[in-house]
Amino acid sequence: MVKRTSFEGDSCPIARSLEAIGDWWSLLIIREALFGVRRFGEFQGKLGMAKNILATRLRALVDLGILKVAPASDGSAYSEYVLTPKGHGVFPVLVALRQWSEEFDDHPEEIATILVDRDKGRPVKKLELHAEDGRVLTAVDTTLKARPRRSRSAG
Amino acid sequence: MVKRTSFEGDSCPIARSLEAIGDWWSLLIIREALFGVRRFGEFQGKLGMAKNILATRLRALVDLGILKVAPASDGSAYSEYVLTPKGHGVFPVLVALRQWSEEFDDHPEEIATILVDRDKGRPVKKLELHAEDGRVLTAVDTTLKARPRRSRSAG
DNA sequence: CTCCGTTGGTTGCATAATGAAACTGGATTG
DNA sequence: CAATCCAGTTTCATTATGCAACCAACGGAG
């Protein structure tokens, strides 16, 4: 099999996520969708991508339950693509990517935008990972454990 | 140009991140590196990827300043790949991907591991985005602003 | 309803990236 | 200095990407 290796059956949740949204365009499509982009032509124009690629990606994202097709919205008989809750759930991933770029990019001056609190217009804080007791955790403060198997009798 | 479109000059920081780590393998390599994997063969064995792809990716990650080559470590004259601070900075991205999978995957029972606080062994909390004043922000609570141009006279 | 431009795609083909396996070369062992 | 392992590189088939051209459905003018 020379197919692009699939992580579909992989037990690592990161690999599973990448299987769904780990390609060049999907995350950018979701980013646009989070900003309210809904129409095929709008995605195509903003992202500057080929229409066939866009069509393929949109279909895949719909199949994955990240986007859903809305029959209409502004009168025209064309359909639109709107985020599902699963799609909205990608937001932290995008924020993490953005903040990584802001912190480590070699040419941060080329970054045109900052993410701000809509109410106050002030920059957001860095994403933080907390322990149950509230401590902030870095990578070395964490480790992996086998997922506790939910017994078949438990509710 | 039929080249895979590059986001190198893009002003969107998300695109810029994807340019660096938005491919199938890079994030998995970084994930392994965060767990202490350092040797070529170790990466290759754990990830089950072709050696040529691994070699290409490792070189790219080194060029990007995400990994660096350490001349030795355990006596053997081979080199190792260790994360730079920039590489460690990817951790939140991986956590975000993991949590997205945990929350929205269609088959969460196939996920083998959970991320826990090393001290307590308890699961970590969800990543949270906070405003400056501490409020938790969701996607709709945020918006983008033009990055304030740092004037050439200001320190 | 027909002409014609726009929106929303699909199809074709060239090129680049991916991947399995074979190959290379240095280091270690004996 | 032969056998073997580690760390890659090369080769070649397959797949994905991307541009361009094509096509179908819609919408307005007449």
Side-chain angles (χ1 to χ4, degrees):
Chain A
M1 188 167 55
V2 196
K3 284 184 73 142
R4 187 173 245 192
T5 56
S6 164
F7 304 123
E8 204 171 354
D10 200 297
S11 60
C12 171
I14 296 170
R16 296 169 78 86
S17 289
L18 291 175
E19 174 71 19
I21 54 177
D23 80 284
W24 291 76
W25 290 113
S26 296
L27 281 168
L28 293 177
I29 292 172
I30 295 168
R31 166 173 71 98
E32 295 302 327
L34 279 167
F35 286 128
V37 171
R38 294 163 155 250
R39 295 286 286 266
F40 185 95
E42 232 181 329
F43 284 110
Q44 208 257 318
K46 298 232 179 191
L47 293 173
M49 64 193 295
K51 297 199 291 180
N52 54 349
I53 311 288
L54 176 57
T56 304
R57 286 287 167 276
L58 288 175
R59 207 177 311 127
L61 291 171
V62 169
D63 288 348
L64 286 164
I66 291 169
L67 294 174
K68 64 172 182 289
V69 178
S73 160
D74 62 337
S76 56
Y78 301 113
S79 51
E80 301 187 338
Y81 300 90
V82 297
L83 288 169
T84 62
K86 184 174 181 177
H88 279 283
V90 176
F91 180 63
V93 176
L94 294 173
V95 174
L97 286 168
R98 164 178 280 275
Q99 294 187 339
W100 184 75
S101 193
E102 288 171 349
E103 187 166 356
F104 297 103
D105 195 291
D106 288 336
H107 298 283
E109 74 280 2
E110 292 177 4
I111 298 174
T113 59
I114 54 175
L115 187 68
V116 300
D117 170 5
R118 184 184 292 273
D119 269 13
K120 306 287 176 57
R122 300 289 305 163
V124 303
K125 294 210 291 187
K126 278 216 62 180
L127 279 174
E128 284 180 350
L129 182 65
H130 291 266
E132 274 185 342
D133 57 20
R135 279 173 301 129
V136 175
L137 301 173
T138 69
V140 296
D141 301 321
T142 65
T143 187
L144 290 183
K145 254 172 75 169
R147 194 176 63 88
R149 296 183 52 69
R150 184 167 295 281
S151 105
R152 66 202 182 292
S153 56
Chain B
M1 187 168 55
V2 198
K3 284 186 73 142
R4 187 174 246 188
T5 56
S6 165
F7 305 123
E8 205 169 355
D10 199 298
S11 61
C12 171
I14 296 171
R16 295 170 78 87
S17 289
L18 290 176
E19 175 71 17
I21 55 176
D23 80 284
W24 289 77
W25 291 113
S26 296
L27 282 168
L28 294 176
I29 291 171
I30 295 169
R31 167 174 70 99
E32 294 302 328
L34 280 167
F35 287 129
V37 171
R38 294 162 155 250
R39 295 288 286 267
F40 185 96
E42 232 181 330
F43 283 110
Q44 208 257 319
K46 297 231 180 194
L47 293 173
M49 66 194 294
K51 298 200 290 179
N52 53 348
I53 310 290
L54 176 58
T56 304
R57 286 287 167 275
L58 287 175
R59 207 176 312 126
L61 290 171
V62 169
D63 288 349
L64 287 164
I66 291 168
L67 293 175
K68 65 172 181 286
V69 178
S73 160
D74 63 336
S76 56
Y78 301 112
S79 50
E80 301 187 339
Y81 301 89
V82 297
L83 289 170
T84 62
K86 184 174 181 176
H88 279 283
V90 176
F91 181 63
V93 176
L94 295 172
V95 174
L97 285 168
R98 165 177 280 274
Q99 292 186 342
W100 183 75
S101 193
E102 287 171 349
E103 187 167 356
F104 297 104
D105 196 291
D106 289 337
H107 298 283
E109 73 280 2
E110 292 176 5
I111 298 175
T113 58
I114 53 176
L115 187 68
V116 299
D117 170 7
R118 184 185 290 275
D119 268 14
K120 306 287 176 57
R122 301 288 304 163
V124 303
K125 294 210 290 187
K126 278 215 65 181
L127 279 175
E128 284 180 350
L129 182 65
H130 292 267
E132 274 185 343
D133 57 20
R135 280 172 301 127
V136 175
L137 302 173
T138 68
V140 297
D141 301 321
T142 64
T143 187
L144 291 183
K145 254 171 75 170
R147 192 176 64 87
R149 295 182 53 72
R150 184 167 298 281
S151 110
R152 66 203 184 290
S153 57

